[in-house]
Amino acid sequence: MNGVAKQRNQTLKDMVRSMISHSSLLESLLEEAVKTVVYILNRVPSKVVNKISYELWTKKKPNIKNLHIWDCPAKARPYRPHERRLDSRTISCYFVGYDECSRGYKFYNPTSRSFLKMGNARFLEEVEFGKEKNIRNVVFEEELVIDIDQVLILIVVQDTTPVIEK
């Protein structure tokens, strides 16, 4: 395996580990976390290739407006043909990924321990982050290691990047 693939796999493992450790869901949802990370990584630029992977495959720019916080609470409205008028129309669930076959989303219902695939849902992302005032500015740290005649120099670059708004 070459260095680029090793670095990509390490990035994938780090992202999944971070998602699972900050999650309130079960660790058995590891497969869904990996699928979500791959979905995201295919839609963001990398240093190796000037274009985005999704753009190379489909010849279209990816739409990142549909990206949501993994494990965020959501109110999904599944299709029920025999629904009565006073029945609850929404189900409280958690967002766990993107549907592979359509433009929908994948949700986990902890009460029935089942997965739902649908595009009709309301994401409650602002519930978790509503109280924080400085959520719009995220600090990314990049470490650059320069090898000059067997002497390693570590350079830390800090860059404040605004988070994409809806």
Side-chain angles (χ1 to χ4, degrees):
M1 191 183 301
N2 64 15
V4 175
K6 283 183 181 178
Q7 183 63 38
R8 193 67 160 186
N9 286 340
Q10 186 63 42
T11 301
L12 185 109
K13 287 191 288 188
D14 289 344
M15 288 177 72
V16 170
R17 191 177 300 118
S18 176
M19 287 167 59
I20 293 293
S21 68
H22 289 89
S23 173
S24 61
L25 296 177
L26 305 171
E27 285 189 16
S28 61
L29 294 173
L30 181 67
E31 180 182 346
E32 297 303 323
V34 170
K35 288 179 184 179
T36 303
V37 167
V38 170
Y39 183 90
I40 292 168
L41 286 177
N42 284 335
R43 282 156 178 79
V44 296
S46 71
K47 291 181 180 180
V48 179
V49 183
N50 289 338
K51 287 195 172 187
I52 298 168
S53 301
Y54 180 84
E55 194 175 347
L56 291 171
W57 292 326
T58 62
K59 309 284 190 265
K60 296 185 283 186
K61 290 207 180 271
N63 182 7
I64 59 172
K65 290 182 181 178
N66 67 332
L67 296 181
H68 293 284
I69 299 171
W70 195 78
D71 181 32
C72 78
K75 296 285 187 181
R77 184 169 183 211
Y79 173 71
R80 293 189 201 141
H82 304 293
E83 183 177 86
R84 292 181 293 179
R85 287 184 188 214
L86 298 177
D87 286 346
S88 176
R89 294 187 180 198
T90 60
I91 296 174
S92 294
C93 51
Y94 293 94
F95 170 71
V96 291
Y98 303 91
D99 192 9
E100 295 125 12
C101 303
S102 69
R103 292 184 181 178
Y105 302 103
K106 199 179 232 184
F107 300 97
Y108 176 70
N109 184 353
T111 55
S112 66
R113 294 185 178 184
S114 62
F115 290 98
L116 307 164
K117 293 181 181 181
M118 65 190 66
N120 189 9
R122 185 169 154 245
F123 294 91
L124 306 174
E125 294 170 331
E126 66 275 354
V127 172
E128 186 176 348
F129 298 108
K131 295 178 184 174
E132 296 183 26
K133 299 197 185 242
N134 214 0
I135 193 67
R136 296 292 171 219
N137 292 326
V138 178
V139 176
F140 291 99
E141 289 188 8
E142 182 177 343
E143 294 183 1
L144 176 65
V145 178
I146 301 172
D147 187 8
I148 304 173
D149 297 321
Q150 305 300 329
V151 177
L152 295 176
I153 302 168
L154 181 65
I155 302 169
V156 177
V157 179
Q158 287 192 349
D159 183 24
T160 304
T161 307
V163 174
I164 300 171
E165 294 185 30
K166 283 186 179 180

